[in-house]
Amino acid sequence: MDWRDHGILLTSRRHGETSAIIEVFTEVHGRHAGVVRGGASRKISPILQPGAQLDVLWRARLEEHLGTFQVEPLRSRAAAAFSGRLALSGLNAVVALLSFSLPEREPHPGIYKQTEQLMDLLGQDEIWPLAYLRWELALLEELGFGLDFSACAVTGATEGLIFVSPKTGRAVSKQGAGEWADRLLPLPSCLKGEGTAPDTEIAQGLRTTGYFLEHHLAPSLGHNPLPEARARFIDQFTRRL
């Protein structure tokens, strides 16, 4: 069994004295793990950094085996990731959420393309947070927890949508919210793809997507909490508000 693909390195850990086990999010084969012989060496280990774009060749005797990877670097994102704390924490949040949420060996080409585009914006701190917010929305959609901002869940109105129901993920207008407004999540304009997206709005949007990641996505995957890397990124971002 063998295949060749390109993808984004999510994790790497030492295996034995000289090898490494890596996890790569590939375009065609999804999240896939394998052993890199010599992956702990001085020659290869610098390549195996989270976020790196790799060309990978996977081989195994049987499809269900862990298998081995041969890797070739296509693009390093280390310089962009280490350009500042926001970039580094953002990259860590992305790879941690992908490793946490994606099923193994199941292709998700849509979120793969958006992840690749997001990674290529690393270091551009003025536009990264909004791109990241839209990426979280896309991740929820890809995994079956998409939010619906088309009309008010209560009145059917398409105007004045300022809340999101924490139960259904549907938009709610001010009129439709009534006395339940304090129990609803914010729906800032930037979450709908509108307006100039100031940081305060992005923070509100991240509160909403974070709720669905924590209370809808995570429980569907078992009892593990969301990766702490996301919280660290949010903390780093909100410091500049």
Side-chain angles (χ1 to χ4, degrees), residues 1-3 7-8 12 18 21 33 39 62 85 87 126 156 162 177 179-180 219 224 226 236:
M1 302 296 299
D2 63 78
W3 50 259
I8 299 164
S12 176
T18 61
I21 294 178
L62 296 174
R85 293 181 178 179
E126 292 307 308
I162 60 172
E179 61 184 22
W180 300 95
N224 293 325
L226 284 180
Q236 195 65 49

Side-chain angles (χ1 to χ4, degrees), residues 57 73 101 105 157:
L57 174 63
S101 63
R105 304 188 179 192

Side-chain angles (χ1 to χ4, degrees), residues 23-190:
E23 193 175 53
V24 184
F25 179 29
T26 64
E27 182 172 17
V28 179
H29 298 87
R31 181 171 67 90
H32 215 289
V35 176
V36 178
R37 306 295 184 194
S41 68
R42 293 182 179 179
K43 178 181 179 180
I44 300 180
S45 61
I47 297 172
L48 303 180
Q49 301 298 317
Q53 197 80 23
L54 302 174
D55 180 272
V56 295
L57 174 63
W58 181 83
R59 287 194 175 103
R61 191 169 63 86
L62 296 174
E63 187 175 3
E64 61 267 24
H65 288 178
L66 176 62
T68 61
F69 274 128
Q70 291 180 15
V71 301
E72 293 291 338
L74 295 176
R75 186 159 68 258
S76 171
R77 297 186 173 96
F82 286 98
S83 65
R85 293 181 178 179
L86 186 69
L88 182 59
S89 63
L91 182 147
N92 288 337
V94 171
V95 297
L97 278 174
L98 289 172
S99 184
F100 172 78
S101 63
L102 291 180
E104 287 189 279
R105 304 188 179 192
E106 183 178 300
H108 288 276
I111 197 65
Y112 175 84
K113 285 293 188 184
Q114 192 152 345
T115 301
E116 194 174 53
Q117 293 167 3
L118 178 66
M119 289 294 197
D120 288 341
L121 296 176
L122 272 173
Q124 301 183 49
D125 290 356
E126 292 307 308
I127 60 176
W128 168 270
L130 178 59
Y132 175 86
L133 173 62
R134 290 173 175 167
W135 177 84
E136 283 198 343
L137 269 180
L139 182 64
L140 286 166
E141 178 75 30
E142 185 80 12
L143 297 177
F145 299 94
L147 308 185
D148 181 2
F149 306 143
S150 60
C152 175
V154 180
T155 67
T158 57
E159 301 288 336
L161 305 176
I162 60 172
F163 299 111
V164 179
S165 166
K167 184 176 181 179
T168 66
R170 296 184 61 189
V172 180
S173 66
K174 183 177 181 180
Q175 181 181 1
E179 61 184 22
W180 300 95
D182 60 347
R183 302 187 184 184
L184 301 177
L185 298 166
L187 177 53
S189 295
C190 67

